[in-house]
Amino acid sequence: VNARGEVKARYAKRSWVRFDIAIFKDGKLSHIVEVKRSIVKHKTTWEDTRQGKRYGDFGVPVTIIYGMGHAEEFIKNFKQGE
């Protein structure tokens, strides 16, 4: 798995986002992983936040990791391309 941390990507021609972890397959972005220390309570959903909307515009799956236990579970179950 080609995974890189703190990856900057251009968003909407004039601004940038920085993915905590970007996973690539065949040189193209295939998955975004956002890491949070603990569960964050949003007024609606993460996808409705500014960050969530921007990440969603990249057209790849986005996974939010909450803490080490969740990270270990994600790694154990991650299958690239699914």
Side-chain angles (χ1 to χ4, degrees):
V1 174
N2 181 3
R4 298 170 188 240
E6 293 295 317
V7 174
K8 280 179 73 174
R10 182 167 299 282
Y11 178 78
K13 296 186 182 177
R14 62 176 184 248
S15 58
W16 294 85
V17 294
R18 187 181 308 259
F19 305 132
D20 287 343
I21 301 171
I23 300 174
F24 297 89
K25 183 172 186 176
D26 299 326
K28 295 185 179 187
L29 181 66
S30 65
H31 203 110
I32 299 167
V33 178
E34 179 67 17
V35 180
K36 302 293 185 193
R37 182 179 304 178
S38 59
I39 293 177
V40 177
K41 293 188 179 187
H42 300 286
K43 292 179 183 176
T44 56
T45 65
W46 186 84
E47 292 82 8
D48 288 330
T49 66
R50 179 179 171 193
Q51 183 180 32
K53 288 176 184 175
R54 287 182 173 198
Y55 283 21
D57 287 344
F58 283 86
V60 298
V62 178
T63 299
I64 312 299
I65 301 283
Y66 297 107
M68 184 58 76
H70 192 214
E72 290 170 344
E73 180 183 325
F74 174 76
I75 291 169
K76 183 172 74 174
N77 296 314
F78 180 74
K79 293 180 178 74
Q80 190 158 359
E82 291 184 7

